[in-house]
């Protein structure tokens, strides 16, 4: 079911949808042509006057599709659609098909141009950013080099302003780097060598007999007691085995 109404500014067309729209319908709006194709629904009309195809639109709702055609010239149209026979309709369809192909080519070309312009803008932005970064690095290097030169000049001027010693007899001679290093290093001093002792024979003689008295151990008392228990006389002149061992 299709409902059509018009005002001085636009034409409203309401197409009833008997089922849920699962895919995007094919809608074509040209200055004098209208097509709505969503199988099994097909609606096609040739307009008697021109419309603003850019301002016109189509909206899909749950149970209907609403098409609003904005007129180029305000006013009520006596006849909204052309009445064509079969041959004229086929001829018009061929013309519209060629026009649609040409419009699609132009639309694709415009899309490519927009993409190219966007890409060029991004590239230009990246180049500008890299150029600014290089300029900042160069400026930083120039400032560092300039500061280093200023420091060197200050050092030279400070060394020139220092006055020499007032004592005329003291004249500081420039010391070569080798002599300065030798003076600062610690000298190596070797101890004097003693005279070499000659060969010979040494004779040693002892005047008295060397004898060391060892205190009696506690273990020796047990040996003497065992020796007396064996029935032997304890002669003080006799020596026990430990005495001989100590000697």
């Amino acid at each position: 079911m299709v409902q059509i109404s018009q005002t001085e500014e636009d034409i409203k067309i309401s197409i009833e949808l008997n089922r849920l729209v699962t895919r995007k319908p094919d809608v074509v709006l040209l200055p004098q042509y209208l097509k709505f194709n969503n199988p099994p629904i097909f609606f096609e009309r040739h307009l008697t006057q021109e419309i603003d195809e850019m301002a016109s639109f189509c909206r899909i709702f749950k149970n209907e599709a609403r098409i609003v055609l904005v007129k180029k010239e305000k006013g009520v149209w006596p006849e909204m659609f052309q009445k064509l026979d079969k041959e004229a309709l086929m001829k018009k369809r061929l013309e519209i098909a060629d026009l649609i192909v040409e419009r699609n080519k132009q639309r694709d070309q415009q899309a490519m141009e927009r993409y190219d312009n966007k890409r060029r803008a991004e590239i230009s932005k990246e180049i500008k950013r890299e150029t600014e970064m290089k300029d900042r690095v160069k400026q930083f290097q120039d400032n560092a080099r300039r500061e280093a030169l200023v420091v060197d000049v200050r050092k030279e001027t400070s060394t020139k302003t220092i006055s020499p010693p007032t004592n005329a007899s003291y004249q500081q001679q420039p010391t070569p780097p080798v002599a300065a290093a030798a003076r600062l290093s610690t000298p190596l001093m070797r101890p004097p060598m003693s005279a070499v002792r000659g060969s010979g024979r040494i004779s040693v003689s002892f005047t008295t007999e060397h004898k060391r008295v060892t205190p009696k151990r506690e273990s020796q008392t047990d040996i003497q007691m065992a020796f007396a228990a064996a029935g032997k006389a304890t002669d003080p002149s006799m020596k026990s085995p430990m005495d001989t061992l100590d000697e």
Side-chain angles (χ1 to χ4, degrees):
M1 182 178 178
V2 179
Q3 296 179 357
I4 302 172
S5 62
Q6 70 164 327
T7 61
E8 293 184 355
E9 297 179 352
D10 54 25
I11 299 173
K12 293 182 176 65
I13 302 174
S14 177
I15 302 173
E16 183 180 358
L17 302 176
N18 53 6
R19 61 179 183 140
L20 184 64
V21 177
T22 57
R23 65 184 183 89
K24 186 177 180 180
D26 182 17
V27 180
V28 179
L29 298 176
L30 296 176
Q32 287 186 311
Y33 179 74
L34 162 66
K35 183 179 77 170
F36 179 87
N37 184 17
N38 186 25
I41 300 173
F42 181 81
F43 182 79
E44 180 185 37
R45 291 292 183 273
H46 293 272
L47 305 175
T48 56
Q49 299 185 30
E50 293 185 356
I51 61 172
D52 188 357
E53 56 181 325
M54 302 303 296
S56 303
F57 58 90
C58 175
R59 292 180 180 176
I60 307 297
F61 297 95
K62 184 177 181 180
N63 297 321
E64 65 176 356
R66 295 179 186 176
I67 302 174
V68 178
L69 306 177
V70 180
K71 299 177 181 179
K72 277 191 174 182
E73 297 180 1
K74 294 182 180 181
V76 178
W77 295 356
E79 294 288 338
M80 290 184 293
F81 307 116
Q82 300 180 17
K83 297 179 180 180
L84 303 173
D85 56 5
K86 189 174 182 179
E87 293 182 358
L89 184 61
M90 292 298 296
K91 186 178 180 180
K92 284 280 187 181
R93 283 181 177 176
L94 292 176
E95 293 177 357
I96 293 297
D98 295 338
L99 183 60
I100 290 173
V101 171
E102 187 67 24
R103 289 290 182 90
N104 290 337
K105 288 182 179 179
Q106 293 179 0
R107 191 171 300 172
D108 294 341
Q109 185 176 359
Q110 292 175 359
M112 289 297 297
E113 289 178 357
R114 287 195 299 269
Y115 175 77
D116 292 340
N117 294 334
K118 184 178 179 180
R119 185 62 179 169
R120 289 194 191 96
E122 291 177 356
I123 293 173
S124 301
K125 186 177 180 180
E126 188 68 20
I127 292 173
K128 183 179 179 181
R129 188 181 67 83
E130 292 181 357
T131 305
E132 291 178 354
M133 185 65 67
K134 290 181 180 179
D135 293 341
R136 290 181 182 177
V137 172
K138 186 177 180 181
Q139 184 178 3
F140 177 77
Q141 292 177 352
D142 293 340
N143 293 336
R145 194 179 298 110
R146 193 178 299 108
E147 290 178 0
L149 292 175
V150 170
V151 170
D152 293 341
V153 170
R154 288 179 180 176
K155 287 182 179 179
E156 291 179 358
T157 53
S158 62
T159 54
K160 289 181 180 179
T161 53
I162 296 175
S163 59
T166 56
N167 190 2
S169 61
Y170 176 78
Q171 293 182 358
Q172 186 177 3
Q173 298 293 335
T175 307
V178 177
R183 187 175 66 250
L184 293 175
S185 61
T186 303
L188 180 60
M189 301 297 294
R190 294 184 179 180
M193 297 179 62
S194 60
V196 180
R197 184 183 299 175
S199 60
R201 183 177 294 179
I202 302 174
S203 60
V204 180
S205 62
F206 296 96
T207 57
T208 59
E209 184 179 357
H210 178 72
K211 185 178 180 180
R212 185 180 61 179
V213 180
T214 305
K216 187 177 292 187
R217 300 179 181 178
E218 295 178 358
S219 60
Q220 294 180 2
T221 58
D222 297 335
I223 295 174
Q224 290 179 1
M225 290 175 63
F227 187 72
K232 296 182 181 182
T234 57
D235 188 359
S237 62
M238 296 180 64
K239 296 181 180 181
S240 66
M242 294 302 295
D243 292 337
T244 59
L245 181 60
D246 291 338
E247 292 178 358

